Amino acid sequence: DGGITQSPKYLFRKEGQNVTLSCEQNLNHDAMYWYRQDPGQGLRLIYYSQIVNDFQKGDIAEGYSVSREKKESFPLTVTSAQKNPTAFYLCASSPLKSGELFFGEGSRLTVL
Amino acid sequence: QKEVEQNSGPLSVPEGAIASLNCTYSDRVSQSFFWYRQYSGKSPELIMSIYSNGDKEDGRFTAQLNKASQYVSLLIRDSQPSDSATYLCAVNGFENTGFQKLVFGTGTRLLVSP
């Protein structure tokens, strides 16, 4: 079935560690996105990519990094520089210039 | 800063009633509007998109858009307990790169009681 797969669903991290969240899609979408969701807040855009080997910072990119080496894959690394990384992370994809996003199931990161 | 405003709720309606969810936005050049439904602990899913003034119906859902008032709403007819979720309004905005970035509201929590 077509869709977006995020892994892991749950992740615990010690302070000072980098972690990488995986996102894979088989929808043949050009655009991919990473959002962060905190309780009581809307989705905030971390990074987005419209084409392979190119990506742009969103509203809250500090402390995060991404890569887009393949159309299907858009992994997110949460670095130790991210001050408050505990959150629900959502990966999404869409056709280019479309606001109709398809979301993965999300990854819940907890910093111990 | 482009903004999308929603009442956080909860909006409580009895089963079978009409639920009305509202959203206002600040960017006058926005052209695309979306409603996403998010169950607790789950990811959002798109339920409606609307691009022109007026009403758009899809089953029990009707999206209404009034660009002059910068207002978009979602009506859910014959509400069911399974409709209980948070509904996110999203509006497109344009970056300098030409990228259409979605701006999300914080969502309205809907509770449908049996």
Side-chain angles (χ1 to χ4, degrees), chain A residues 33 35 37 40-43 45 48 50 56-57 59 88 90 97-106 108, chain B residues 1 32 34 36 38 41-46 49 51 88 95 97-107:
Chain A
Y33 316 80
Y35 288 90
Q37 188 174 37
Q41 298 198 36
L43 276 66
L45 183 63
Y48 64 93
Q50 299 181 83
Q56 305 294 331
K57 292 181 179 180
D59 299 318
F88 188 42
L90 290 159
K97 299 184 179 181
S98 171
E100 298 186 0
L101 305 186
F102 291 80
F103 286 88
E105 293 187 339
R108 198 169 296 277
Chain B
Q1 176 73 7
S32 305
F34 308 89
Y36 287 82
Q38 186 175 25
K42 303 296 185 182
S43 59
E45 58 177 326
L46 178 69
S49 57
Y51 304 97
L88 305 174
E95 299 287 286
T97 58
F99 169 65
Q100 288 193 43
K101 185 180 79 172
L102 277 191
V103 180
F104 284 85
T106 55

Side-chain angles (χ1 to χ4, degrees), chain A residues 21-91:
Chain A
L21 308 180
S22 170
C23 178
E24 303 277 335
Q25 56 101 356
N26 61 4
L27 299 168
N28 199 33
H29 286 164
D30 289 300
M32 296 189 74
Y33 316 80
W34 275 104
Y35 288 90
R36 169 179 173 146
Q37 188 174 37
D38 296 280
Q41 298 198 36
L43 276 66
R44 293 185 289 168
L45 183 63
I46 305 173
Y47 268 99
Y48 64 93
S49 170
Q50 299 181 83
I51 194 171
V52 173
N53 293 322
D54 186 52
F55 47 83
Q56 305 294 331
K57 292 181 179 180
D59 299 318
I60 56 165
E62 185 175 353
Y64 300 98
S65 65
V66 294
S67 63
R68 186 88 185 273
E69 298 177 0
K70 298 186 301 181
K71 185 176 183 178
E72 301 80 17
S73 179
F74 192 42
L76 173 75
T77 296
V78 184
T79 75
S80 57
Q82 169 51 234
K83 301 297 183 191
N84 185 20
T86 295
F88 188 42
Y89 290 89
L90 290 159
C91 179

Side-chain angles (χ1 to χ4, degrees), chain B:
Chain B
Q1 176 73 7
K2 303 176 181 67
E3 294 183 347
V4 176
E5 300 285 342
Q6 294 182 258
N7 188 319
S8 61
L11 172 66
S12 296
V13 300
E15 184 175 358
I18 296 175
S20 177
L21 306 164
N22 304 314
C23 171
T24 59
Y25 59 94
S26 63
D27 190 355
R28 286 190 171 276
V29 301
S30 295
Q31 297 179 8
S32 305
F33 307 86
F34 308 89
W35 284 98
Y36 287 82
R37 178 176 63 198
Q38 186 175 25
Y39 291 112
S40 180
K42 303 296 185 182
S43 59
E45 58 177 326
L46 178 69
I47 54 171
M48 289 289 285
S49 57
I50 187 167
Y51 304 97
S52 55
N53 278 330
D55 295 358
K56 179 182 177 183
E57 186 174 320
D58 184 1
R60 296 186 296 111
F61 298 99
T62 299
Q64 299 175 318
L65 176 60
N66 184 326
K67 290 184 179 180
S69 299
Q70 295 177 238
Y71 179 91
V72 58
S73 64
L74 179 70
L75 300 179
I76 306 175
R77 290 181 300 281
D78 188 24
S79 295
Q80 301 297 310
S82 58
D83 294 325
S84 298
T86 297
Y87 290 80
L88 305 174
C89 175
V91 177
N92 79 318
F94 292 92
E95 299 287 286
N96 292 336
T97 58
F99 169 65
Q100 288 193 43
K101 185 180 79 172
L102 277 191
V103 180
F104 284 85
T106 55
T108 297
R109 186 172 166 220
L110 172 66
L111 296 176
V112 182
S113 54

